[in-house]
Amino acid sequence: MPSDEFLVTPWEVEGNVDYNKLTALFGTQPIDDAILARFKRLTGSIPPMLRRQVFFSHRDFNWILDRYEAGEKFVLYTGRGPSGHTHLGHLMPWIFTKYLQDAFDADLYFQMTDDEKFLQKDELSASATRGFSYDNALDLIALGFDPEKTRIFLDTEYARTLYPIALEVAKRVTFSAARAVFGFDSSTNIGMVFFTSMQSAPAFLPAILSGRNVPVLIPCAIDQDPHFRITRDVAPKMGYYKPALIHSRFFPSLLGLDKMSASIPETSIFTTDSPEQARTKIANAFTGGRTTVQEQRDLGGVPDICAVYQYSFYLFEQDDKRAVELREECLRGARACGECKNELADKVVQFLKHHQAAREQAQDRIEDFIIRDCQE
Ligand code: TRP
C-alpha cells in the first residue's frame, strides 16, 4: 500500500492513518476547543487524553452534554473483543471511560464480544474466547471501576437479553448496507454478517431495562465507528436516541507499525508480561533515533515516529510540560534513545507491578461485575 494510503475497518487497520482524513471520510466531528472548554466547565478539568487529542473525534458529544445539563444522566457503553490477553493499548480507552464514569457519575455497560472473536478468528475456539473474556475482565476491574455502576457481560452468556434486541436491529439492516460499511465478500461467514447487530444491542439496553429513553455515550477506538453508524441509523426507527460517540486514535505499536496487533507479541506489552519481558520489548522498540550518536546530536531525533515517545505521550507522561520538554530535547539532539527507553521502562514496570497486584485482587470480585442470563 502506498505510504499515503490507509484502510480502517473494525477488523483490520493498515497503512499510515491520517486522522484528519479519517474524520472527513467517516463524517465525524473533531474535538475542538469549544468542547474542551465545555468539558472543563462541567467536570472541573480536562484529562490528558482529551487535551492531547488521543480522543480526537466524536458524534453528538455536545448533544450528550446538553442532555446532561438538562438533568438527564447518560449511560456509558464500551467493550472488548476477547481474542487474547489485554495489552497496554486496550487500557487507554478504558482509563478514559473510568474518568468519564467518575466525572459524570455514569453507569457503564461493558460488552465482551466472545461471539465476534470466535467468528472472526479461525484459530480460536468458543471456549478460548470465553476464557479470554474473563481474563480481560480482570484488567478492567483492576482499573478501579465502581462495582455498583459497572456491568460486564459476555455475548454468549447474556444472549437471552441481547438476542431479541439484536433481532430488532438485524431486521432493519440490509446485506448491501452491511457489505458497504464492512467490506464483506462472498467468503465472509454469515455469523460475521449478523454480528454487528450484537454490537448495536447494548446501545439500547439502558433504555430497554429502564423502560424509558436513555442517552448513551460510547467511548471507542475510531475503527469501531462503522458498527455504530449502523446503530445510529436504526435507533430512531426503533424509537430510541442515537448513541453518541467519542473516538480515540490507535495506540502505537512498539515496532512502529500502525496499530498494535495482539498476534505479534513483540509489538505490545501485555498486562500479564513480567518486568523482564516488558524491559526487553522496550529495549527493542522502534525509535525516531539516528544511526550514530554524532548524527543524533547534530540532527536530533524524530519523536513523532518514535514508539517510545508515543508511549509516554499517550499514557506514561502525565505532566504536559514534561511531555513537551521530552519532545524538544529529542528534536534538538539532547537526548539519546537509550535514555528514553530506560525512563519509559521504569514507568512501565512500576505500572505493571501495581496493575498486576490489582488484577490478582480482582479475581475474587469478578462476580460483583458480571451479569448473565444463561450459562452452560
Ligand atoms: N468489537 C470490539 C473489539 O473488537 C469490542 C466492542 C464491543 C466494543 N462493543 C464495543 C468496543 C463498544 C468499543 C465500544 O474490540
Side-chain angles (χ1 to χ4, degrees), residues 10-11 77-81 111 113 116-117 195 199 218-221 224 227-228:
W11 299 292
Y77 158 41
T78 191
R80 155 88 176 130
Q111 177 179 41
T113 55
E116 173 191 19
K117 293 296 149 179
F195 168 73
Q199 186 152 327
I218 308 177
C220 61
Q224 298 300 308
H227 285 296
F228 300 120

Side-chain angles (χ1 to χ4, degrees), residues 33-107:
D33 290 345
I35 290 191
L36 295 184
R38 193 171 184 197
F39 201 90
K40 178 151 190 195
R41 186 161 54 74
L42 290 173
T43 71
S45 71
I46 311 174
M49 283 190 219
L50 275 183
R51 283 200 307 264
R52 298 182 190 176
Q53 296 276 312
V54 174
F55 278 81
F56 71 105
S57 153
H58 73 96
R59 291 183 191 271
D60 278 344
F61 191 60
N62 270 311
W63 170 80
I64 273 282
L65 297 180
D66 291 343
R67 305 308 324 152
Y68 179 78
E69 287 195 283
E72 204 176 344
K73 284 179 73 171
F74 61 83
V75 169
L76 293 160
Y77 158 41
T78 191
R80 155 88 176 130
S83 55
H85 286 301
T86 307
H87 60 58
L88 297 183
H90 297 131
L91 298 182
M92 195 175 70
W94 304 354
I95 291 169
F96 184 62
T97 302
K98 162 85 167 57
Y99 181 91
L100 293 174
Q101 175 172 81
D102 294 344
F104 294 98
D105 187 31
D107 286 345

Side-chain angles (χ1 to χ4, degrees), residues 327-353:
R327 187 164 185 282
E328 287 174 350
E329 287 172 18
C330 173
L331 282 171
R332 62 164 197 273
R335 288 201 142 251
C337 296
E339 233 176 302
C340 285
K341 284 178 172 174
N342 284 336
E343 288 171 15
L344 177 67
D346 289 345
K347 284 188 183 148
V348 168
V349 165
Q350 207 186 353
F351 172 83
L352 285 178
K353 271 196 191 132

